[in-house]
């Protein structure tokens, strides 16, 4: 089975597996969004379809009131019909665009991931979160770099004091992506 799970020293369970994130029952699921929260394709489209019209409606309302999100920005809506309580919409860097490649893009994703985990724990009071491989699909970040960045961020967050989160699930519908993440998370122990 294409999966991996371990517990960090601070007691956070981290898992990586093949699956459809719209079916997850964690307090929060994360959406890989664009800055206008137009949930058309990729995981955003899947979440919008499975969660019902409410999600796009809340998202559009958010943009009308607050304007577009910046790259690396986040906001949240309810989970609509999904099992999760909240969805965090996170805008990853587009690989290769406007300097968002190599080091800069990677650091943007790294900071975004830390912000997502902190926001889930501190603002939404979540204990559990499911997250897709942000930026690795339509936004084109190479899978190994995406996986390495996730690994660094998950380690940094889950080994800090009093994280609030007890469970982080990295869920992907694509077997190649899951393979790359398992290789990264296993390889570095
Ligand atoms: N469950 C889990 N993982 C999924 C699912 C799913 N249902 N569907 C796709 N993935 P992407 P991005 C994985 O393209 O690269 C949207 O149109 C997929 O295999 O959704 O950040 C937005 O509106 C990949 O590894 O996000 C933006 O315009 C990962 O999710 C743009 O795409 C991310 O792929 C964002 O691009």
């Amino acid at each position: 089975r294409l999966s991996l799970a371990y517990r960090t020293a601070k007691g956070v369970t981290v898992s990586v597996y093949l699956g459809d994130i719209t079916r997850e029952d964690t307090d929060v699921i994360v959406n890989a969004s664009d800055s206008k929260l137009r949930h058309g394709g990729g995981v955003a489209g899947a979440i919008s379809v499975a969660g019902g019209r409410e999600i796009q409606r809340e998202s559009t309302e958010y943009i009308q009131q607050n304007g577009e999100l910046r790259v690396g920005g986040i906001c949240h809506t309810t989970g609509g019909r999904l099992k999760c309580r909240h969805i965090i919409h996170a805008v990853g860097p587009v690989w290769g665009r406007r300097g968002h490649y190599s080091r800069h893009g990677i650091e943007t994703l790294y900071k975004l991931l830390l912000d997502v985990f902190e926001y889930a724990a501190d603002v939404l009071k979540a204990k559990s979160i499911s997250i897709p491989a942000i930026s690795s699909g339509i936004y084109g970040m190479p899978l190994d770099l995406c996986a390495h960045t996730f690994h660094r961020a998950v380690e940094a967050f889950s080994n800090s004091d009093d994280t609030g989160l007890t469970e982080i699930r990295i869920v992907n519908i694509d077997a190649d992506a899951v393979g790359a993440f398992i290789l990264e998370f296993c390889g570095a122990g």
Side-chain angles (χ1 to χ4, degrees):
R1 201 171 141 226
L2 211 50
S3 69
L4 164 152
Y6 65 96
R7 237 168 112 96
T8 70
K10 301 281 181 182
V12 182
T13 303
V14 178
S15 53
V16 178
Y17 55 91
L18 188 66
D20 180 350
I21 204 164
T22 65
R23 306 176 77 90
E24 291 299 322
D25 60 0
T26 41
D27 297 332
V28 166
I29 69 170
V30 181
N31 177 27
S33 187
D34 68 354
S35 53
K36 291 183 174 160
L37 303 182
R38 289 173 310 197
H39 310 310
V43 72
I47 288 171
S48 188
V49 167
R53 291 209 182 132
E54 187 61 17
I55 295 169
Q56 186 61 69
R57 197 189 59 71
E58 284 181 45
S59 299
T60 305
E61 207 173 286
Y62 177 91
I63 295 294
Q64 280 164 356
Q65 285 169 9
N66 302 282
E68 286 182 26
L69 290 175
R70 64 185 167 82
V71 175
I74 57 180
C75 70
H76 78 273
T77 63
T78 68
R81 289 199 303 245
L82 301 178
K83 290 182 195 144
C84 60
R85 279 195 284 119
H86 293 107
I87 299 170
I88 294 179
H89 303 274
V91 185
V94 180
W95 190 252
R97 183 187 300 170
R98 286 196 220 123
H100 282 286
Y101 54 88
S102 69
R103 237 182 125 80
H104 184 60
I106 287 166
E107 285 320 296
T108 302
L109 178 62
Y110 179 75
K111 288 199 197 90
L112 172 60
L113 294 172
L114 288 182
D115 285 349
V116 164
F117 296 140
E118 277 164 21
Y119 190 91
D122 299 343
V123 179
L124 302 177
K125 307 294 176 205
K127 295 282 176 216
S128 56
I129 187 167
S130 302
I131 186 164
I134 297 170
S135 287
S136 77
I138 292 164
Y139 282 180
M141 182 181 284
L143 276 173
D144 55 341
L145 294 178
C146 183
H148 183 63
T149 309
F150 264 73
H151 193 208
R152 278 202 297 135
V154 166
E155 286 302 297
F157 179 80
S158 63
N159 285 309
S160 56
D161 284 323
D162 198 19
T163 63
L165 286 177
T166 56
E167 192 175 2
I168 298 173
R169 303 179 188 171
I170 301 167
V171 185
N172 206 297
I173 206 155
D174 175 66
D176 287 342
V178 179
F181 271 69
I182 288 180
L183 197 65
E184 164 63 38
F185 277 69
C186 280

